[in-house]
Amino acid sequence: MAREIDRRHFIGVVGATGSIALMGVLQDDDEDDEPEEDEFEDPDAEEGGQILVWDAGGTGGTYFPLSGEFKTIVEGETPHGLQVQSTGASVENVGSLAREDADFALIQNDINFFAYEGTGLEEFEGNPIENLRGVASLYPETIHVLTEEGAGYESIADLEGATINTGDLGSGTQVNALQILETAGVTDFDEQNADFATAADQLRDGDIDAAFIVGGWPVGAVEELATTADIDVVAIGDDLREELLDEVEFFAEDEIPGGTYDGVDEDVETVSVQAMITTHEAVDEDIVEEVTAAIFDNADDVTIKAEFIDLDSALDGMSIPLHPGAEAYFDAQGVELDDEMDDDEEMDDEEMDDEEMDDEEMDDEEMDDEDE
């Protein structure tokens, strides 16, 4: 199916996919995992603490065991207990926070953005979930653009007219792919939609020219493909990357190190979405600050994605407003807050000032009317 994309409608293209989006929206380490019973011990809060519900992902992916490590840290460093629950990951976790059934959850930052803005996916279209609040970014879900080695695709712009697998229909991967292609000026291409394993098979068999795959490197499907076929990873760099970072709130700068995959010896510039800790606005500020401090003050105790979890990247790709408790912690640590967060606060202040001025003007007019 040949595609021509209009910048104003690239998200709407995905939004029309209905319930398929719920099935395929998150293609990361939790792909295809079904919710299973909680494998961790029941939480036990100390005096002055609370039992906090923490939604993770499927037990076979990264979200669930990483949340188990956070449970150990939080329960060891605070009076609170953490009830880690296995779930269907990001979209389901958004729903739990929206209903305030959970206190914290792991959610990809692009899904956070779509939910908060009420756009991008059928589940959120026209129904913004405005109680979501960010806590911290954890690790990148890196965007890989794969082609056959020597096929001549030196940049994303070269994919004009190509056959491209953009990820499962209705998935976050598809949304990311369409945005990147459109920003690069690729408006005419034959779009294929399938999961990562199928996309790898299609590329190996010559059925497609390129495939978008999103996940924390090394991605298993890409590792396996690279051992059986010669591949290139097309860079998302230079002006294209800068434009994406300027235009899209949920993208962050990223790089795939040379040697990550067989035959790809040089570092490859790209962008990523982020795995995030998310909460909702009703969670107590002190609790969020305590949980955030426990995790980042003891990041050395984390073994899963440990190389990424630190203060330097904790606000990368923050796509929704930061919870005041998390803001208090990062501010105390000297972490520079995003300019847009500051701008939002300034706008709120300006709006309040404008309202006060309007009220004063109205009062003056009323007084004048009374005098008359």
Side-chain angles (χ1 to χ4, degrees):
M1 176 177 65
R3 297 296 295 267
E4 290 192 4
I5 314 172
D6 184 324
R7 177 174 299 278
R8 294 170 297 175
H9 301 299
F10 88 97
I11 287 178
V13 171
V14 182
T17 58
S19 60
I20 297 174
L22 180 61
M23 298 165 58
V25 69
L26 183 64
Q27 284 191 311
D28 65 306
D29 295 313
D30 293 295
E31 185 184 11
D32 297 331
D33 291 325
E34 295 294 334
E36 300 176 23
E37 292 185 2
D38 188 350
E39 294 181 347
F40 300 119
E41 294 181 2
D42 291 336
D44 184 21
E46 299 175 4
E47 183 177 353
Q50 296 184 23
I51 300 296
L52 305 173
V53 177
W54 182 293
D55 279 2
T59 57
T62 299
Y63 285 2
F64 191 76
L66 179 58
S67 296
E69 294 196 350
F70 291 157
K71 171 183 170 70
T72 300
I73 291 171
V74 170
E75 291 180 348
E77 299 294 329
T78 77
H80 308 298
L82 226 59
Q83 181 183 333
V84 175
Q85 301 185 146
S86 60
T87 71
S90 288
V91 171
E92 182 177 336
N93 293 354
V94 165
S96 295
L97 292 179
R99 297 187 302 271
E100 300 184 4
D101 291 339
D103 302 294
F104 295 90
L106 295 187
I107 300 172
Q108 259 185 221
N109 69 337
D110 53 340
I111 306 304
N112 271 326
F113 176 82
F114 296 143
Y116 186 81
E117 296 292 332
T119 188
L121 295 168
E122 179 96 0
E123 287 73 17
F124 311 133
E125 195 70 43
N127 296 293
I129 301 174
E130 297 178 342
N131 72 330
L132 295 179
R133 294 293 181 270
V135 176
S137 296
L138 295 174
Y139 63 89
E141 301 284 1
T142 306
I143 295 176
H144 300 62
V145 185
L146 308 179
T147 64
E148 183 182 2
E149 184 180 41
Y153 299 109
E154 301 295 332
S155 69
I156 301 298
D158 292 337
L159 293 174
E160 182 77 14
T163 300
I164 308 169
N165 190 312
T166 61
D168 267 331
L169 189 65
S171 69
T173 297
Q174 187 192 26
V175 175
N176 299 156
L178 294 180
Q179 173 68 90
I180 291 166
L181 291 168
E182 184 178 10
T183 302
V186 179
T187 59
D188 183 15
F189 61 94
D190 184 22
E191 183 178 14
Q192 301 290 311
N193 299 106
D195 60 37
F196 295 160
T198 301
D201 288 341
Q202 289 177 324
L203 192 62
R204 181 189 298 108
D205 296 339
D207 296 330
I208 59 173
D209 300 306
F212 280 78
I213 290 180
V214 181
W217 50 261
V219 177
V222 182
E223 280 189 304
E224 183 177 350
L225 174 63
T227 62
T228 57
D230 296 327
I231 64 168
D232 282 332
V233 182
V234 182
I236 303 173
D238 300 329
D239 293 343
L240 174 58
R241 182 159 73 169
E242 289 305 312
E243 188 173 353
L244 287 167
L245 295 176
D246 287 342
E247 289 185 356
V248 185
E249 289 87 343
F250 50 78
F251 280 150
E253 188 174 306
D254 201 5
E255 183 177 83
I256 303 170
T260 300
Y261 303 110
D262 287 351
V264 183
D265 299 325
E266 302 295 327
D267 297 345
V268 179
E269 291 183 341
T270 184
V271 292
S272 63
V273 292
Q274 300 285 315
M276 270 181 60
I277 303 174
T278 308
T279 186
H280 60 79
E281 62 182 354
V283 178
D284 183 80
E285 183 174 334
D286 290 339
I287 289 177
V288 174
E289 184 173 2
E290 289 166 357
V291 169
T292 308
I295 290 171
F296 282 90
D297 288 352
N298 298 277
D300 289 345
D301 294 337
V302 176
T303 66
I304 299 170
K305 300 293 183 183
E307 65 271 34
F308 300 109
I309 301 174
D310 59 41
L311 288 173
D312 291 340
S313 58
L315 298 181
D316 285 359
M318 181 59 61
S319 56
I320 57 176
L322 199 61
H323 192 284
E327 183 176 344
Y329 170 75
F330 291 124
D331 187 53
Q333 299 300 312
V335 176
E336 185 175 352
L337 300 180
D338 190 278
D339 290 340
E340 290 185 1
M341 298 177 192
D342 296 336
D343 291 344
D344 288 342
E345 292 177 3
E346 290 174 5
M347 288 178 63
D348 290 341
D349 291 340
E350 290 174 3
E351 288 171 0
M352 290 177 64
D353 291 341
D354 290 342
E355 288 177 3
E356 289 174 1
M357 290 176 63
D358 291 341
D359 289 342
E360 290 176 3
E361 290 173 1
M362 289 179 63
D363 290 342
D364 290 342
E365 288 176 2
E366 289 173 359
M367 289 178 66
D368 291 341
D369 291 341
E370 288 176 2
D371 290 340
E372 291 172 0

